[in-house]
């Protein structure tokens, strides 16, 4: 196969053309068959494959990407012309003007720390090489157009040559001092003429990525860097996305501001962008650990609730008791199954939890432990740590409006822990309703109109407004509106009431007596379910179990919902279909916690007990008590039998045949 102009192709392009023809002819053919000749088309190349096929060329791409990425784009144009020439007559191919080679460094040596540093460790030594950075998009600017190439002609010898703008000089083009023609007799002309209709324009977008807080130590400030996306890369990521970007590190002058020193700011000109949103929740679970989980539930087949409580003891073990809170935290982190109906409407699977309590009741301890249990989490306060607060805002950066993601967007797919929930900013209060229920944030600010994803578990904590008055609605005691409170599946009120027996047990626990001194068996069980094991267990059950409701569970949930609707008075806003959805989510989460693919009557009643513990609805069961004083019972299965009988009597289902508490569907 011979090219019409192969003799004019420089040697450094020849090997690139041959490699693309040999390894990526299918991509070239699909580009040719695309109808629009003016679009910018990507051609994806694995850097690891290039290293195997042509190591010298791969080293040149790494060491001098400024020139060789451009050479590869030219090689792609030449290669696609050769493929177009060899196509059969019945295939209607169109010659393209713009093809960009995108290098994916996944699985190559470029993923080593020296060429894959964290954003905070980017230094001058990384300038001029093919660099890869990983982070979360925190800002995304509008798509603009900039001049990427202009052709000039020497007035003396008529030699034509392209010039490219320099980002370091704010995209200005610097003319050469003498004619760049490489002839035996140098021209040495100094006057040049811009050729009309030779300007090549590119799409251009600026984003800012920040290193993940999950890999940083305490007290380390997460660093960020500006990234420039061009042509086919624009608008493929949005605020909150996790990305791995490969490109060239350079710098540009900061904007001219009065009384502010002008500096060179580092920027990354992207060549390849890979979204890793689908990878961010992956937790490594070895086969032997999965077998331990299965064996654990086989050992507790006859007493499943005792096995469940063994797991719950590992949640925030430094806090004594608080069984109800620990169960609520576990069910919230595990969550239910997202449901999509025939019309495409989505019903969220994530649950939300709010702790309302007096100071010193352990609310912040649970927030911090839950953040450690989640593979992706953001810890913040109601005021927020940035100008974006909890949701999103438009900020002006260098004269341009950009969207800045808040805590809920950055925690997309994970957990957002919000302390001092009642101190939210006004614009957060207006938008957090949509973020919690529809799991999106619709933005229309400063001409930027978009929707950002917030598939986030919200775990909030707040203090009562003054002294908690049990006779007043929760919205009055917390200064939170009723519609906002209804977004939470569970709202637990922790009141530090006087209880001499509880005070004696807690003081003994804190002083090293009681449970730590005498209960070695409980201490051993807590050691089995360490933080790392709990993280893996939650990740395992969320991935492998999609529970469905049995007929018995549906009947219990339906009867309870109808009873609540009949008895609802001043708090009717809470006893809506939203409460029914919460019941289903919590029952599914409990089935996952119990290592099952079926929601049984036990799971439905456990969900009802959690809802009953919530102070947002009028309790129909009087035996729940204060969530702060709830403790682990010695025989939870026997205790459950009493609660089941009580609830079934209230629901007029006492004549139903009892359901087994074993592990139906266990595999």
């Amino acid at each position: 196969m011979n090219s019409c102009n192969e003799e004019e192709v420089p040697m450094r392009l020849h090997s690139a053309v041959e490699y693309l023809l040999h390894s990526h002819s299918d991509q070239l053919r699909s580009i040719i068959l695309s109808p629009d000749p003016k679009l910018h088309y990507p051609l994806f190349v694995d850097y690891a494959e290039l290293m195997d096929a042509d190591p010298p060329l791969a080293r040149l791409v790494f060491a001098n990407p400024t020139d060789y990425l451009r050479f590869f784009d030219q090689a792609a144009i030449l290669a696609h012309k050769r493929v177009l020439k060899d196509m059969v007559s019945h295939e209607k191919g169109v010659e393209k003007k713009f093809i960009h080679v995108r290098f994916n460094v996944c699985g190559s040596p470029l993923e080593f720390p020296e060429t894959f540093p964290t954003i905070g460790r980017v230094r001058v030594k990384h300038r001029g090489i093919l660099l890869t950075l990983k982070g979360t998009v925190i800002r995304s600017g509008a798509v603009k157009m900039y001049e990427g190439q202009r052709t000039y002609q020497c007035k003396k010898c008529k030699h034509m040559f392209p010039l490219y703008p320099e980002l370091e000089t704010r995209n200005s083009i610097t003319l050469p001092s003498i004619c760049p023609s490489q002839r035996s007799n140098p021209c040495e002309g100094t006057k040049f003429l811009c050729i009309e209709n030779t300007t090549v324009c590119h799409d251009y977008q600026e984003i800012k990525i920040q290193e993940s807080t999950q890999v940083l130590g305490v007290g380390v400030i997460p660093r960020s860097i500006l990234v420039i996306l061009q042509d086919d890369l624009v608008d493929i990521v949005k605020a909150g996305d996790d990305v791995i970007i490969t490109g060239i590190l350079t710098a540009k002058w900061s904007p001219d501001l009065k009384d502010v020193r002008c500096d060179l700011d580092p920027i990354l000109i992207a060549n390849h962008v890979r979204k890793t949103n689908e990878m961010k929740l992956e937790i490594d679970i070895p086969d032997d650990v999965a077998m331990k989980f299965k064996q654990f539930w086989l050992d507790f087949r006859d007493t499943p609730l005792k096995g469940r409580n063994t797991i719950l003891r590992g949640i925030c073990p430094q806090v004594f008791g608080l069984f109800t809170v620990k169960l609520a935290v576990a069910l919230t982190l595990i969550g239910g199954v997202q449901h999509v109906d025939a019309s495409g409407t989505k019903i969220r699977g994530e649950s939300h939890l709010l702790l309302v309590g007096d100071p010193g009741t352990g609310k912040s301890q649970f927030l911090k432990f839950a953040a450690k249990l989640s593979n992706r989490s953001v810890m913040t306060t109601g005021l927020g740590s940035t100008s974006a607060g909890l949701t999103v805002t438009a900020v002006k950066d260098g004269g341009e409006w950009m969207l800045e993601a808040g805590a809920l967007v950055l925690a997309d797919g994970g957990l957002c822990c919000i302390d001092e929930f009642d101190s939210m900013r006004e614009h957060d209060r207006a938008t957090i309703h949509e973020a919690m229920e529809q799991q999106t944030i619709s933005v229309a600010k400063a001409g930027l109109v978009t929707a950002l994803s917030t598939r986030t578990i919200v775990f909030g904590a707040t203090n009562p407004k003054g002294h908690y008055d049990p006779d007043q609605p929760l919205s009055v005691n917390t200064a939170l509106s009723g519609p906002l409170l209804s977004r939470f599946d569970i709202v637990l009120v922790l009141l530090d009431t006087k209880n001499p027996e509880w005070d004696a047990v807690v003081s003994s626990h804190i002083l090293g007596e009681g449970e730590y001194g005498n209960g070695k068996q409980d201490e051993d069980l807590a050691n089995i379910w360490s933080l790392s094991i709990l993280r893996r267990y939650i990740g395992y059950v969320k991935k492998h179990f999609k529970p469905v409701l049995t007929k018995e569970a549906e009947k219990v949930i339906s009867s309870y919902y109808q009873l609540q609707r009949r008895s609802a008075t001043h708090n009717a806003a809470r006893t809506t279909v939203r409460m029914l959805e919460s019941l289903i989510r919590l029952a599914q989460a409990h089935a996952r916690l119990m290592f099952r693919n079926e929601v049984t009557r036990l799971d439905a009643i456990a969900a009802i007990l959690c809802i009953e513990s919530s102070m947002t609805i009028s309790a129909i069961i009087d035996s729940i008590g204060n969530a702060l004083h709830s403790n682990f019972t010695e025989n939870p299965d026997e205790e459950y039998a009493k609660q089941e009988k009580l609830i079934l009597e209230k629901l007029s289902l006492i004549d139903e045949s009892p359901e087994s508490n074993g592990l139906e569907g266990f595999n």
Side-chain angles (χ1 to χ4, degrees):
M1 189 165 56
N2 296 321
S3 174
C4 53
N5 295 321
E6 191 169 289
E7 294 80 14
E8 300 177 6
V9 179
M11 289 301 298
R12 55 192 175 185
L13 288 178
H14 180 73
S15 55
V17 173
E18 293 301 324
Y19 170 75
L20 294 178
L21 288 171
H22 180 266
S23 302
H24 299 279
S25 58
D26 291 340
Q27 283 194 65
L28 290 169
R29 185 177 295 273
S30 64
I31 291 173
I32 291 171
L33 294 176
S34 300
D36 196 337
K38 296 182 180 180
L39 290 180
H40 292 257
Y41 293 91
L43 179 63
F44 298 102
V45 173
D46 286 331
Y47 189 82
E49 295 180 0
L50 178 62
M51 287 194 67
D52 292 338
D54 195 337
L57 183 60
R59 284 195 294 269
L60 289 172
V61 172
F62 165 71
N64 189 12
T66 305
D67 292 332
Y68 278 87
L69 291 180
R70 192 175 295 153
F71 295 155
F72 258 95
D73 290 352
Q74 297 173 12
I77 295 293
L78 294 171
H80 110 283
K81 288 181 179 179
R82 288 170 59 170
V83 173
L84 179 62
K85 182 180 178 181
D86 293 342
M87 290 179 66
V88 294
S89 58
H90 65 83
E91 292 181 306
K92 295 182 179 180
V94 180
E95 183 175 329
K96 304 301 185 296
K97 294 182 178 180
F98 308 106
I99 302 177
H100 305 284
V101 176
R102 306 298 183 191
F103 284 97
N104 183 7
V105 301
C106 179
S108 73
L110 296 192
E111 287 195 318
F112 289 141
E114 190 62 27
T115 56
F116 197 168
T118 60
I119 297 175
R121 294 186 176 274
V122 172
R123 299 292 184 265
V124 175
K125 66 179 181 178
H126 296 115
R127 185 176 184 180
I129 64 172
L130 196 63
L131 184 68
T132 303
L133 297 177
K134 181 179 182 180
T136 303
V137 180
I138 60 172
R139 288 187 184 181
S140 59
V143 177
K144 298 183 290 186
M145 184 176 66
Y146 88 106
E147 189 177 348
Q149 179 182 330
R150 190 186 295 174
T151 303
Y152 284 84
Q153 184 182 56
C154 176
K155 288 186 176 181
K156 185 175 180 180
C157 68
K158 305 303 181 183
H159 171 66
M160 299 175 65
F161 55 93
L163 289 180
Y164 305 94
E166 298 177 357
L167 285 168
E168 291 88 340
T169 58
R170 297 177 185 167
N171 290 343
S172 63
I173 293 180
T174 304
L175 293 175
S177 56
I178 61 173
C179 178
S181 62
Q182 298 177 355
R183 300 182 178 181
S184 56
N185 295 323
C187 165
E188 297 185 354
T190 57
K191 294 184 178 181
F192 311 102
L193 177 66
C194 180
I195 307 299
E196 293 183 3
N197 300 324
T198 60
T199 300
V200 178
C201 293
H202 299 270
D203 290 324
Y204 172 96
Q205 184 186 24
E206 292 185 3
I207 65 172
K208 183 174 283 188
I209 62 172
Q210 175 182 284
E211 55 188 334
S212 174
T213 56
Q214 300 298 110
V215 298
L216 301 178
V218 178
V220 179
I221 300 174
R223 304 298 180 183
S224 59
I225 190 172
L226 197 67
V227 179
I228 292 179
L229 307 179
Q230 300 175 1
D231 302 320
D232 55 288
L233 298 180
V234 301
D235 252 4
I236 64 173
V237 296
K238 59 183 183 300
D241 285 340
D242 282 357
V243 292
I244 297 177
I245 300 180
T246 302
I248 307 170
L249 181 69
T250 181
K252 74 170 185 176
W253 288 104
S254 58
D256 290 330
L257 299 174
K258 186 178 180 181
D259 299 329
V260 176
R261 185 178 66 185
C262 198
D263 294 322
L264 276 172
D265 296 329
I267 57 173
L268 186 71
I269 303 176
N271 171 262
H272 181 271
V273 177
R274 179 159 58 107
K275 292 173 66 173
T276 59
N277 292 4
E278 67 280 358
M279 300 164 53
K280 61 191 175 188
L281 294 180
E282 292 295 327
I283 299 177
D284 181 33
I285 305 174
D287 293 338
D288 61 328
V289 175
M291 289 303 300
K292 288 182 180 179
F293 294 155
K294 295 179 180 180
Q295 185 60 45
F296 173 84
W297 284 106
L298 286 173
D299 295 341
F300 283 96
R301 173 178 284 273
D302 297 328
T303 55
L305 292 180
K306 189 173 182 180
R308 179 201 67 181
N309 289 5
T310 301
I311 299 174
L312 297 181
R313 288 179 190 271
I315 296 178
C316 210
Q318 68 272 24
V319 177
F320 176 76
L322 271 71
F323 163 77
T324 304
V325 181
K326 294 182 179 182
L327 176 60
V329 170
L331 298 184
T332 301
L333 291 176
I334 292 173
V337 181
Q338 185 186 61
H339 174 68
V340 182
D341 62 16
S343 64
T345 304
K346 295 181 180 179
I347 300 175
R348 61 181 169 92
E350 289 79 10
S351 301
H352 304 311
L353 170 64
L354 178 66
L355 299 182
V356 181
D358 296 326
T361 51
K363 302 186 299 297
S364 297
Q365 295 277 3
F366 281 105
L367 283 177
K368 292 180 179 179
F369 194 85
K372 294 177 182 178
L373 277 179
S374 178
N375 195 40
R376 177 182 174 89
S377 62
V378 173
M379 186 86 179
T380 184
T381 61
L383 289 175
S385 55
T386 65
S387 60
L390 295 177
T391 53
V392 68
T393 190
V395 295
K396 205 167 188 177
D397 187 6
E400 178 191 355
W401 286 100
M402 304 179 73
L403 286 179
E404 181 176 281
L408 290 173
V409 179
L410 295 178
D412 179 36
L415 170 70
C416 185
C417 298
I418 308 172
D419 210 349
E420 301 175 18
F421 192 82
D422 57 336
S423 62
M424 285 187 298
R425 305 182 184 192
E426 287 301 323
H427 76 274
D428 287 335
R429 287 178 181 266
T431 55
I432 197 172
H433 296 79
E434 178 191 0
M436 293 178 65
E437 192 63 36
Q438 279 73 41
Q439 297 191 312
T440 58
I441 294 178
S442 300
V443 184
K445 299 182 179 181
L448 303 174
V449 181
T450 185
L452 303 177
S453 179
T454 57
R455 295 163 299 179
T456 308
I457 300 170
V458 176
F459 186 0
T462 183
N463 293 324
K465 186 180 66 174
H467 179 70
Y468 189 89
D469 186 356
D471 297 328
Q472 293 293 332
L474 192 59
S475 58
V476 175
N477 282 293
T478 59
L480 296 175
S481 65
L484 180 56
L485 287 172
S486 70
R487 259 73 176 174
F488 288 97
D489 297 79
I490 306 175
V491 180
L492 295 180
V493 178
L494 309 178
L495 299 179
D496 193 10
T497 55
K498 296 179 181 179
N499 188 325
E501 296 180 1
W502 177 260
D503 294 341
V505 174
V506 171
S507 61
S508 299
H509 172 80
I510 295 175
L511 294 173
E513 301 173 4
E515 190 163 328
Y516 281 156
N518 302 323
K520 292 184 179 180
Q521 182 181 2
D522 289 340
E523 186 177 0
D524 292 339
L525 291 176
N527 287 336
I528 295 175
W529 293 93
S530 61
L531 176 63
S532 60
I533 294 295
L534 279 172
R535 278 169 56 93
R536 288 176 170 176
Y537 184 77
I538 292 174
Y540 184 87
V541 296
K542 290 178 70 173
K543 181 178 180 180
H544 290 86
F545 293 100
K546 308 292 181 185
V548 294
L549 271 70
T550 60
K551 294 294 183 182
E552 293 82 0
E554 288 181 358
K555 190 171 295 184
V556 171
I557 292 175
S558 176
S559 300
Y560 176 75
Y561 172 69
Q562 295 175 43
L563 178 62
Q564 282 288 0
R565 290 290 289 176
R566 289 194 298 268
S567 62
T569 54
H570 65 281
N571 214 0
R574 181 64 177 86
T575 54
T576 60
V577 176
R578 190 169 288 156
M579 189 197 74
L580 180 60
E581 294 172 354
S582 297
L583 277 169
I584 296 173
R585 277 192 293 269
L586 293 174
Q588 290 174 334
H590 194 270
R592 281 175 161 176
L593 177 62
M594 301 292 288
F595 220 67
R596 282 198 300 256
N597 251 328
E598 280 188 342
V599 178
T600 63
R601 178 186 292 174
L602 183 151
D603 303 312
I605 291 179
I608 290 175
L609 292 175
C610 281
I611 292 290
E612 284 290 312
S613 301
S614 175
M615 296 292 287
T616 59
I617 59 173
S618 55
I620 62 170
I621 299 175
D622 302 327
S623 62
I624 300 301
N626 188 356
L628 181 66
H629 298 160
S630 59
N631 201 358
F632 290 85
T633 58
E634 293 184 3
N635 298 305
D637 294 274
E638 295 179 4
E639 185 69 22
Y640 164 76
K642 300 176 183 177
Q643 292 174 332
E644 180 188 51
K645 182 179 180 181
L646 174 63
I647 291 177
L648 293 180
E649 286 178 351
K650 289 279 187 178
L651 301 180
S652 302
L653 298 175
I654 194 62
D655 295 333
E656 301 290 338
S657 58
E659 187 185 53
S660 172
N661 293 343
L663 297 178
E664 294 85 350
F666 175 80
N667 50 37

